[in-house]
Amino acid sequence: MRKNYICLILTLLMCSAFSCGGSKNTSSSNEQNKKIIVCVPTFNADSAYVYTAHQVEFGPRVPNTKTHDDCGNYLAQQLKIFGAKVTKQSAGVIAYDGTLLKATNIIGSYRPESKKRIALFTHWDTRPWADEDPDPKNHHTPILGANDGASGVGVLLEIARLMQHQLPDLGIDLIFLDAEDYGDPEFYKGERKEESWCLGTQYWARNPHVDGYNARFGILLDMVGGQNAAFLKEAYSEQFAPDINKKVWKIAKQLGYGKYFIDKSCGYVTDDHLFVNNLAHIKTIDIINNDMSGKTSFGPTWHTLNDNMEHIDKSTLKAVGQTVMEVIYNEH
Ligand code: AHN
Ligand code: ZN
């Protein structure tokens, strides 16, 4: 009796330590419809920002370069420090122009023994060419990819840091995909193929890091740190996983992030989630910036030399990070 009482006090203290403020969501779980009060740790955007900046400090992370491999080692080491079981999956993949890319998918797993899992994806490589830069003389220069490459990893590393202290009920896999952004460049005159994108994902989806791997659902983060970001319900996500889109956008709104997660749909985006859905058959959504203020729908810095830390906004990282935390801690 006394022991139970102490346990209850400890639990309450833990909740306040992790400042459940705004997160005391109850979710109906099993058949008896019991209410479960979940303590969701507070996502620290300063911390996610530092992990983003650290990747950018390596320079561009283009497959087959030293700065890429150095950054990959840093990411694997960070996941280990945060208590994940780490798998480095080497994947030889062929680029649109026949180049053999030595790609590496890096996976950090929590509760690796659990059959009930959620997969969180992002790509960690950066584009070899600023082929959307306003200045054509930059079209062959590699980008820093602060938003397009580092931001998703920054958010997931912060989630890893928090999970080491308090695990969600389900097993979680943080899957850092390589060679997403080597898709046929604007200056390429040959035949354009959508399979020239997301090469690391296509490898992983055909050869998952664990035999027979499955997950309840997946969430892909792509360009989740930009200024004035807007996340719309992307068309493949709506097609394959409308229930997950609904759940994520509802939670974001409840948390007060309705300004970022807009309840509207947008067009189809060829991104890692397409191959996860089609090849691995795990229903997966894409949280991807859909900002029409530039000449493309991905915002003004997309595939330009301006994709640097000056255009990263901590409030965007916070909106995405806290929303994903709330989603994964509310699965039982
Ligand atoms: C295409 O442009 C075909 N897909 C966008 C996927 C992407 C590129 N995400 C980040 N960089
Ligand atoms: Zn890109």
Side-chain angles (χ1 to χ4, degrees):
M1 180 59 201
R2 192 178 151 74
K3 203 169 158 209
N4 282 344
Y5 188 65
I6 291 170
C7 267
L8 177 67
I9 291 179
L10 272 177
T11 311
L12 289 172
L13 278 173
M14 289 268 290
C15 285
S16 54
F18 284 111
S19 82
C20 286
S23 316
K24 284 190 194 94
N25 276 355
T26 52
S27 69
S28 54
S29 66
N30 50 34
E31 35 312 315
Q32 292 133 37
N33 217 16
K34 271 194 214 142
K35 295 278 180 204
I36 298 177
I37 296 182
V38 188
C39 288
V40 181
T42 301
F43 183 91
N44 186 326
D46 293 324
S47 169
Y49 183 90
V50 168
Y51 303 139
T52 305
H54 199 83
Q55 294 166 78
V56 172
E57 280 160 20
F58 283 96
R61 281 86 66 209
V62 174
N64 294 358
T65 67
K66 179 168 187 313
T67 48
H68 169 272
D69 296 353
D70 289 347
C71 183
N73 291 335
Y74 155 71
L75 298 178
Q77 190 194 342
Q78 269 318 303
L79 287 170
K80 264 193 203 115
I81 290 170
F82 296 148
K85 178 183 178 194
V86 177
T87 311
K88 274 180 120 183
Q89 180 185 57
S90 301
V93 294
I94 308 289
Y96 74 99
D97 60 352
T99 307
L100 169 66
L101 302 177
K102 282 181 257 166
T104 308
N105 296 321
I106 303 164
I107 300 113
S109 301
Y110 291 83
R111 297 193 193 278
E113 70 295 338
S114 176
K115 290 272 161 281
K116 294 196 234 166
R117 316 197 62 75
I118 299 169
L120 304 178
F121 301 94
T122 193
H123 77 93
W124 72 273
D125 63 303
T126 54
R127 188 145 178 86
W129 325 279
D131 55 343
E132 300 284 351
D133 199 274
D135 186 344
K137 81 171 188 307
N138 295 330
H139 284 183
H140 291 264
T141 308
I143 66 165
L144 281 174
N147 195 25
D148 190 0
S151 67
V153 174
V155 167
L156 293 188
L157 280 181
E158 169 59 1
I159 291 178
R161 185 186 71 82
L162 294 167
M163 284 197 297
Q164 73 183 320
H165 302 297
Q166 186 196 338
L167 288 171
D169 282 357
L170 265 65
I172 305 288
D173 298 288
L174 307 178
I175 305 184
F176 299 167
L177 300 158
D178 201 356
E180 186 274 339
D181 234 342
Y182 218 102
D184 36 32
E186 289 299 321
F187 51 77
Y188 179 59
K189 296 282 179 280
E191 190 197 345
R192 313 194 75 77
K193 294 201 181 102
E194 78 177 353
E195 312 85 72
S196 70
W197 300 85
C198 312
L199 298 173
T201 308
Q202 295 181 55
Y203 185 94
W204 177 85
R206 292 191 171 98
N207 314 277
H209 64 291
V210 167
D211 270 347
Y213 179 81
N214 206 351
R216 189 178 285 182
F217 60 85
I219 300 176
L220 168 66
L221 306 184
D222 194 3
M223 301 183 270
V224 291
Q227 295 160 332
N228 308 310
F231 304 109
L232 273 63
K233 292 174 168 168
E234 181 273 338
Y236 286 123
S237 311
E238 277 292 89
Q239 185 181 313
F240 290 106
D243 52 329
I244 309 304
N245 258 356
K246 201 168 164 199
K247 186 200 308 255
V248 170
W249 263 253
K250 183 175 166 201
I251 285 179
K253 192 175 176 192
Q254 282 169 352
L255 292 175
Y257 302 127
K259 161 176 161 247
Y260 297 94
F261 287 80
I262 297 160
D263 198 3
K264 276 191 207 151
S265 50
C266 65
Y268 292 93
V269 179
T270 302
D271 207 350
D272 294 306
H273 70 311
L274 172 61
F275 300 96
V276 174
N277 278 300
N278 267 339
L279 302 174
H281 308 292
I282 297 168
K283 61 176 176 178
T284 299
I285 64 157
D286 193 4
I287 300 179
I288 182 168
N289 187 24
N290 197 280
D291 168 350
M292 303 297 290
S293 68
K295 78 176 157 89
T296 73
S297 61
F298 302 122
T301 69
W302 185 65
H303 294 179
T304 76
L305 295 189
N306 281 327
D307 186 1
N308 55 32
M309 288 308 291
E310 276 172 47
H311 299 99
I312 295 295
D313 186 339
K314 285 180 192 173
S315 357
T316 309
L317 297 170
K318 172 71 180 176
V320 173
Q322 195 66 58
T323 299
V324 173
M325 285 293 287
E326 198 79 23
V327 170
I328 65 177
Y329 280 79
N330 277 289
E331 291 289 319
H332 306 286

